[in-house]
Amino acid sequence: MLRALRIRQMAVIDEAELDFEPGFNVLTGETGAGKSIITRAILLLCGARGSAELVRADAEEAVVEALFECPGEEERLAALGFRAADEIVVRRTLQRSGKGRIWVNGELASATQLAQLVGRWIHLYGQHEQTDLLRNEAHLGLLDEFAGFRAERAQMEEHYRALRSAWQRLQEARTDVERIRSQAELLRFQLQELEQAAVEAGEEEALLATRSRLRHAERLGRVCVGGEERLHSGEEAVSSVLSKLEHELAEVSALMPELGGVRALIEQARSWLEEAAWQLRRAGESVRADPERLAEVEERLALIARLKRKYGCAADELPQRRAEVARQLALLDDDEHELAALERRVQEVAAQAWGFARALSEKRRAAARKLEELMQRELRVLGMRDAQFQVCFTQSASDGPQRDARDSQAAEGFGLSPTGADRVELFWSANRGEAPRPLARVASGGELSRIMLALKTLAAGDEAVTFWFDEVDAGIGGTTATAVGKRLRSLGKTHQVLCITHLPQIAALADHHLAVEKRKQGNRVVSRARVVEGQERVRELARMLGSVSEETERYARGLLRALDES
């Protein structure tokens, strides 16, 4: 239960302290007095996103603090990482820089933790939520909120995400396979061409050398043969001259011993020259003009040049290109197997998702019948004795067959959505004898207010929560307003109810009345909230009736007296 709320430096509120009691509490005040800012403060306490625009123009920081009585919440507090306590103080700051901080009993907390904690204690209903009744797509959420299917919806969303993820992986694999399939014929031709060519690393360089030798075979042969003759086999060969000189030196070496060293050098030189001559002879014998071989080399080099241009790579990279083409073709076979495995996986995940959707659909149908029964009772309390309320399933899990993973429509989630396979629409009739029709088409503004009040009341069940109703009286008046006020007062017997209202018929029924006032303070306009009792409450009710006069005050006292007598 919310016991106290303090707001500082937020919008038009300089500083306001509000004390709330068990039962039915109302907040009243003129338009623009700051009631909507109080609602924004409550939203911040429930984990809503803050904004620097909420900070007063002359301040650097806005602060919202609240005191909650929460006995029996030890398990929830522990699950969120907070110390157990019967009283919880929540403090949230908003800075002009856009930054902010949250504390729960002095411990830093996140907005997510705040939403999971305070968001479970306070059920807030504002005018904008009434529009949910006008949107058919929101009706399923209202049914699930009543049934308490928060965990089931989360599980259904997990199943749906798993199905979508499996389907996307399948689609990506299909795209890859189709891409390779479209290139398969070309890849096979390329592989055949490269395998037939069988170009090896270093082959082009070797062929270029061979071509050069074959092109100059006659000249090479002439040089080799002529060189061998001049060194060894010719009539005046160098080796013969050296041999003769070596013989002469041997004859005179006894006369001049130092010539023995010269003779040894000449002998060594003659040995090297004979080796050179032998190699020239071998080279000359190996060099022969061979037009056929030259044509073969030229043709091979032309093939390599064409492959280099075609595949955009160097000759030494052609073997790598051949291996890459072979790898891509091998991948095609692997991808075909993977594709079949992914299709089976999609079918498995789809079966699991549909199984859960069917089970959830059955639970929803049972909850819908219970909601219809309770709504009839609740609407009678709100003065709508002849009303009829129905929950109609326009689509359910039993209507949509599973699709095959190869079906292109499977991309739509096999007929599922994050909420399952159900579509629900609320039907309504306000008068006896009229068949129920789509609520969004036939319900008036006042009827929508009471229907949403009834739905929100039933959604809370026996859970100890605080209801915050922001102008639930929009679009109603007269006896309808009195019926709504009585329901809020009755609800206050089991829950704490906080209600912002403009109708004196509702305000007069409250157990605790706070008035929000706007005052001029220097050059600023500030808002304050105060408890009104006795004559002050009479004057506030008179103001709500239009003006403060003896007549309106008398009527206000009549409202309060009727309450006491009831």
Side-chain angles (χ1 to χ4, degrees), residues 399-442:
D399 300 329
Q402 291 190 44
R403 295 186 174 95
D404 190 89
R406 291 163 291 186
D407 187 344
S408 61
Q409 294 301 314
E412 301 300 323
F414 290 71
L416 293 174
S417 74
T419 58
D422 297 315
R423 292 182 184 174
V424 165
E425 185 172 2
L426 301 180
F427 276 57
W428 164 260
S429 171
N431 303 307
R432 187 185 301 274
E434 292 184 3
R437 297 170 60 191
L439 182 147
R441 299 180 186 177
V442 299

Side-chain angles (χ1 to χ4, degrees), residues 136-151:
N136 293 344
E137 60 271 20
H139 292 179
L140 180 62
L142 293 171
L143 173 61
D144 287 344
E145 182 183 7
F146 160 75
F149 286 159
R150 181 179 300 180

Side-chain angles (χ1 to χ4, degrees), residues 251-467:
E251 291 178 347
V252 298
S253 59
L255 301 174
M256 195 173 186
E258 57 266 36
L259 293 178
V262 175
R263 178 189 172 204
L265 289 172
I266 292 174
E267 182 179 8
Q268 185 178 14
R270 185 167 62 81
S271 175
W272 282 105
L273 289 173
E274 287 179 351
E275 175 64 23
W278 179 77
Q279 291 190 18
L280 283 171
R281 183 168 62 253
R282 286 190 59 190
E285 291 173 350
S286 66
V287 176
R288 295 285 185 275
D290 191 342
E292 292 184 1
R293 175 58 181 157
L294 179 59
E296 290 176 0
V297 171
E298 295 282 11
E299 184 178 354
R300 182 66 175 173
L301 285 170
L303 172 62
I304 293 174
R306 180 174 63 81
L307 294 175
K308 285 165 57 178
R309 288 193 303 270
K310 181 175 182 178
Y311 295 102
C313 60
D316 287 349
E317 294 173 347
L318 286 172
Q320 299 174 12
R321 176 60 182 167
R322 180 178 63 200
E324 175 62 20
V325 172
R327 188 187 68 81
Q328 290 185 33
L329 282 171
L331 281 177
L332 180 60
D333 292 334
D334 293 340
D335 286 345
E336 293 284 0
H337 293 303
E338 182 183 1
L339 195 62
L342 288 173
E343 287 178 349
R344 290 192 298 271
R345 174 59 181 165
V346 169
Q347 294 294 345
E348 292 172 1
V349 176
Q352 294 171 0
W354 265 93
F356 189 85
R358 291 191 180 97
L360 179 57
S361 185
E362 291 180 5
K363 289 183 178 180
R364 282 172 171 160
R365 287 183 177 276
R369 303 290 80 81
K370 183 178 180 182
L371 177 59
E372 289 174 345
E373 178 185 345
L374 294 176
M375 279 293 289
Q376 296 299 138
R377 185 188 312 166
E378 192 70 22
L379 291 171
R380 284 196 295 272
V381 173
L382 291 170
M384 307 175 77
R385 295 186 176 278
D386 296 329
Q388 298 180 64
F389 179 88
Q390 292 182 358
V391 181
C392 298
F393 284 75
T394 59
Q395 178 181 305
S396 68
S398 60
D399 300 329
Q402 291 190 44
R403 295 186 174 95
D404 190 89
R406 291 163 291 186
D407 187 344
S408 61
Q409 294 301 314
E412 301 300 323
F414 290 71
L416 293 174
S417 74
T419 58
D422 297 315
R423 292 182 184 174
V424 165
E425 185 172 2
L426 301 180
F427 276 57
W428 164 260
S429 171
N431 303 307
R432 187 185 301 274
E434 292 184 3
R437 297 170 60 191
L439 182 147
R441 299 180 186 177
V442 299
S444 66
E447 290 168 346
L448 289 173
S449 293
R450 284 181 282 177
I451 292 169
M452 183 57 82
L453 172 59
L455 285 170
K456 289 291 180 177
T457 301
L458 293 175
D462 296 328
E463 187 177 6
V465 298
T466 293
F467 283 98

Side-chain angles (χ1 to χ4, degrees), residues 111-131:
T112 300
Q113 288 176 307
L114 197 60
Q116 293 174 343
L117 186 66
V118 180
R120 295 290 297 274
W121 292 340
I122 298 180
H123 285 200
L124 193 145
Y125 164 55
Q127 294 183 60
H128 65 280
E129 288 189 85
Q130 184 172 304
T131 59

